Amino acid sequence: MNTVEKIIKDGSLTYEQKVIALAREAENSLKVLKISDKCEKLRQSGVICDLFEGNAPYRPRYIVPDYEKFMREGSAFLELDPPKDIWEATNSLLILYKHVPSITTMPVYIGNIDYLLEPFINDEEEAYKAIKLFLKHIDRTITDSFCHGNIGPKATKAGRLILKAERELQDAIPNITLKYSKSTPRDFAKDAVRTALSTAKPSFANDEIFRKDFNGDYAIASCYNGLYIGGGSYTLVRMNLKALAESANSIDDFFNDKLPSAMKEMAGYIDERIKYVVEESGFFENSFLIKEGLIYRDRFTAMFGMFGLAECVNTLLKADKLEERFGHCDKADKLGVKVIKAMDEFVKNHKNKYCQITNGSFLLHAQVGISDDINVSPGCRIPIGEEIELWDHLKNAALFHKYFPSGIGDIFPFEKNSNNNLDYILDIINGAFKEGMRYFSLYSSDSDVIRITGYLVKRSEIEKLDRGEAAIQDTVALGLGAVKNGHVLQRKVR
């Protein structure tokens, strides 16, 4: 059978998943991008990976609408007036979500949902029913756990109701981040910790760091990607630092030849993808999101991703003993910082005319990995199975977080009885943020909803798919691959 027929006959895919897979197959039948021979060689060897974006980008990878404007003004295209009560508010948002594309075909950002709904909270009992149905609708219809909502930093009635509903629903979608600032009330933050232990969300974003990097308000979208509201990211291409290090003859060869050359080729590839989506696809001329001012082309940037730093460092140092490896050795950690500094300098100096919002530069991004990654760690993380004591782990992570405005994070499962001491965990988060971490994720060792790399999946759904049964969320397949290839269920429990 050819690929199309295999998709049609795949019993583990839902109808919706088949339609998306068939559309992707059609797009990949085209060759419209001008890719250098050197870049193509790096792509074929796995050093450069475009994360299945497709051969003819006809929409930006990540779109971050200005939902606040939508709530104030409604939409002429969708024939929606500004909402007047909680039912109209949730209904209007759900309608708009169906029309916000992304690389997954579904929205990767659904707004600062507590702030969007707070003006419509009158009767809390009625509002809770509406919010719970709203969240359930998202889980059952936006069947991709890269869908991401934000709450905070201020405590709101809507925010508390969202946290309560998530604990009761136990759904994987949407992913949620609490924008956590020094002004966030402690009781609200503790409620967020309680919810995260139960259902792996919300994660905590260091609000002060993100606001500084984005000159004010920002959105956390997809896994943990910091982006500008009213814009987004044209593309995300990532570099496999492990594979690149394996091609180098020495540390000097890596820094003087292999890394600069690969970064130049990857930047050119990103430039080509941006050029096509802006100049050829017609997206920015035709989308009602542009015409109604919900997004603006000049608020888009691009993400220069990387992963496998730990394995890169260990390869360059030929570090076989644990005490010589990344996370365990000062020499290894310093070499890791040197790699990221070199990437940071390159990314800031490379310019693209369509990335005005970030001064013509791309944003460095610590990519979380995909199900096909074997023996290579997400972003700058210490490999699973080699984790160090928690406080040292946090300090190691903090060495790198400042370089990644568009996203980096670490994940910490906690022992199931940690729910009895929420202050303990919140103090850990506060200490991590003082050290310079920008993003912190947690869940309980016995929760059904778990964080895979940056997205959420239910263990029970993974088990169902592993038996050959269809799962409603397409990201369950990614989770199953990560469990088998990335050993995510073997993370050190704190």
Side-chain angles (χ1 to χ4, degrees):
M1 291 187 292
N2 63 27
T3 305
V4 170
E5 192 175 3
K6 283 181 180 178
I7 293 169
I8 290 171
K9 293 185 176 181
D10 190 339
S12 68
L13 297 177
T14 66
Y15 169 77
E16 182 180 43
Q17 290 161 8
K18 288 181 180 181
V19 170
I20 294 170
L22 290 168
R24 187 174 292 120
E25 187 66 18
E27 180 187 355
N28 287 338
S29 69
L30 301 176
K31 287 189 177 181
V32 297
L33 301 177
K34 297 174 183 176
I35 303 171
S36 72
D37 291 341
K38 195 169 184 180
C39 180
E40 185 59 27
K41 186 176 179 180
L42 289 168
R43 291 178 72 221
Q44 294 301 321
S45 68
V47 171
I48 293 175
C49 170
D50 61 22
L51 293 162
F52 314 111
E53 281 192 7
N55 291 347
Y58 56 93
R59 70 296 192 216
R61 183 180 183 98
Y62 300 131
I63 295 174
V64 180
D66 184 346
Y67 291 108
E68 287 76 11
K69 181 175 183 179
F70 168 72
M71 296 296 267
R72 290 193 307 269
E73 301 177 7
S75 168
F77 180 79
L78 297 177
E79 300 182 42
L80 292 172
D81 294 326
K84 301 180 182 64
D85 59 34
I86 189 66
W87 298 105
E88 290 186 2
T90 53
N91 186 59
S92 290
L93 286 170
L94 291 171
I95 291 172
L96 179 56
Y97 295 157
K98 304 297 187 299
H99 300 274
V100 178
S102 76
I103 192 60
T104 69
T105 76
M106 304 174 198
V108 296
Y109 175 68
I110 58 172
N112 225 103
I113 49 179
D114 56 343
Y115 287 17
L116 294 173
L117 299 178
E118 181 68 11
F120 307 100
I121 306 293
N122 294 315
D123 182 310
E124 286 196 34
E125 184 175 348
E126 181 182 27
Y128 182 65
K129 182 177 181 181
I131 286 172
K132 195 172 178 181
L133 288 172
F134 170 72
L135 294 170
K136 182 181 288 188
H137 186 108
I138 290 170
D139 181 76
R140 305 307 195 270
T141 61
I142 304 176
T143 55
D144 183 280
S145 54
F146 296 111
C147 169
H148 206 126
N150 299 170
I151 61 174
K154 292 185 291 186
T156 59
K157 291 178 183 177
R160 295 182 192 279
L161 294 176
I162 288 166
L163 293 174
K164 178 184 176 184
E166 287 293 354
R167 290 195 297 272
E168 292 190 13
L169 289 168
Q170 291 289 305
D171 287 333
I173 303 171
N175 201 341
I176 296 176
T177 290
L178 169 65
K179 296 177 175 179
Y180 181 49
S181 76
K182 294 173 182 175
S183 62
T184 302
R186 189 171 180 88
D187 68 318
F188 186 60
K190 284 170 63 177
D191 202 30
V193 171
R194 179 184 297 108
T195 307
L197 287 171
S198 171
T199 188
K201 56 183 167 180
S203 293
F204 284 65
N206 189 329
D207 190 58
E208 278 80 13
I209 287 180
F210 275 104
R211 286 188 183 277
K212 180 180 178 182
D213 286 342
F214 287 88
N215 300 312
D217 207 3
Y218 62 96
I220 303 295
S222 190
C223 288
Y224 47 40
N225 310 350
L227 292 168
Y228 285 92
I229 293 173
S233 179
Y234 299 112
T235 184
L236 164 57
V237 180
R238 66 177 191 161
M239 181 175 294
N240 184 340
L241 291 176
K242 176 191 177 184
L244 188 64
E246 289 172 344
S247 73
N249 298 323
S250 64
I251 292 176
D252 286 343
D253 181 45
F254 178 83
F255 282 102
N256 296 332
D257 180 29
K258 297 298 189 296
L259 181 60
S261 177
M263 289 193 294
K264 180 182 177 182
E265 294 301 323
M266 192 164 107
Y269 183 47
I270 292 173
D271 287 336
E272 182 66 12
R273 298 192 70 84
I274 293 172
K275 182 179 179 182
Y276 190 87
V277 74
V278 174
E279 298 181 6
E280 302 290 338
S281 75
F283 176 84
F284 290 101
E285 288 76 29
N286 300 320
S287 174
F288 82 96
L289 297 171
I290 284 281
K291 294 175 181 178
E292 296 190 358
L294 299 179
I295 58 173
Y296 297 87
R297 207 275 307 149
D298 60 7
R299 294 186 68 81
F300 279 77
T301 186
M303 296 158 68
F304 194 99
M306 53 68 59
F307 70 113
L309 178 66
E311 291 77 13
C312 168
V313 168
N314 295 338
T315 298
L316 293 175
L317 292 176
K318 298 180 173 61
D320 297 322
K321 297 178 181 178
L322 185 62
E323 61 269 21
E324 299 172 344
R325 295 166 70 81
F326 182 81
H328 296 262
C329 171
D330 187 57
K331 180 181 179 181
D333 291 349
K334 286 181 177 177
L335 182 58
V337 172
K338 183 178 179 180
V339 172
I340 299 306
K341 279 186 174 179
M343 298 189 79
D344 178 61
E345 183 178 0
F346 174 86
V347 168
K348 286 178 178 175
N349 286 325
H350 180 85
K351 298 299 178 182
N352 182 289
K353 65 181 180 179
Y354 293 124
C355 295
Q356 298 102 311
I357 192 67
T358 47
N359 299 314
S361 299
F362 305 147
L363 295 180
L364 201 57
H365 175 75
Q367 203 274 325
V368 296
I370 58 176
S371 58
D372 294 338
D373 294 339
I374 299 175
N375 297 324
V376 57
S377 300
C380 301
R381 293 180 193 167
I382 297 172
I384 291 172
E386 298 185 11
E387 297 99 332
I388 54 182
E389 289 304 313
L390 182 57
W391 184 240
D392 291 327
H393 199 141
L394 298 176
K395 288 193 288 185
N396 172 274
L399 294 172
F400 303 98
H401 280 215
K402 64 183 177 182
Y403 297 105
F404 294 92
S406 71
I408 184 171
D410 284 81
I411 303 170
F412 301 97
F414 283 86
E415 199 272 330
K416 59 185 179 181
N417 290 328
S418 297
N419 197 55
N420 297 326
N421 196 347
L422 303 177
D423 286 295
Y424 161 75
I425 295 178
L426 188 57
D427 287 343
I428 289 171
I429 296 170
N430 287 332
F433 283 3
K434 285 180 182 178
E435 284 291 314
M437 282 186 69
R438 71 167 62 238
Y439 203 81
F440 188 107
S441 298
L442 67 146
Y443 58 90
S444 172
S445 59
D446 67 339
S447 64
D448 186 26
V449 181
I450 59 171
R451 189 167 294 275
I452 300 296
T453 50
Y455 60 96
L456 310 180
V457 174
K458 285 187 174 184
R459 296 180 205 248
S460 54
E461 290 294 301
I462 290 174
E463 293 166 1
K464 185 166 70 173
L465 185 64
D466 199 25
R467 294 193 299 267
E469 302 173 31
I472 188 172
Q473 289 95 7
D474 59 4
T475 31
V476 176
L478 303 182
L480 176 60
V483 165
K484 292 187 173 183
N485 297 331
H487 312 294
V488 299
L489 297 182
Q490 280 76 56
R491 289 190 182 111
K492 182 180 178 68
V493 177
R494 310 293 179 166

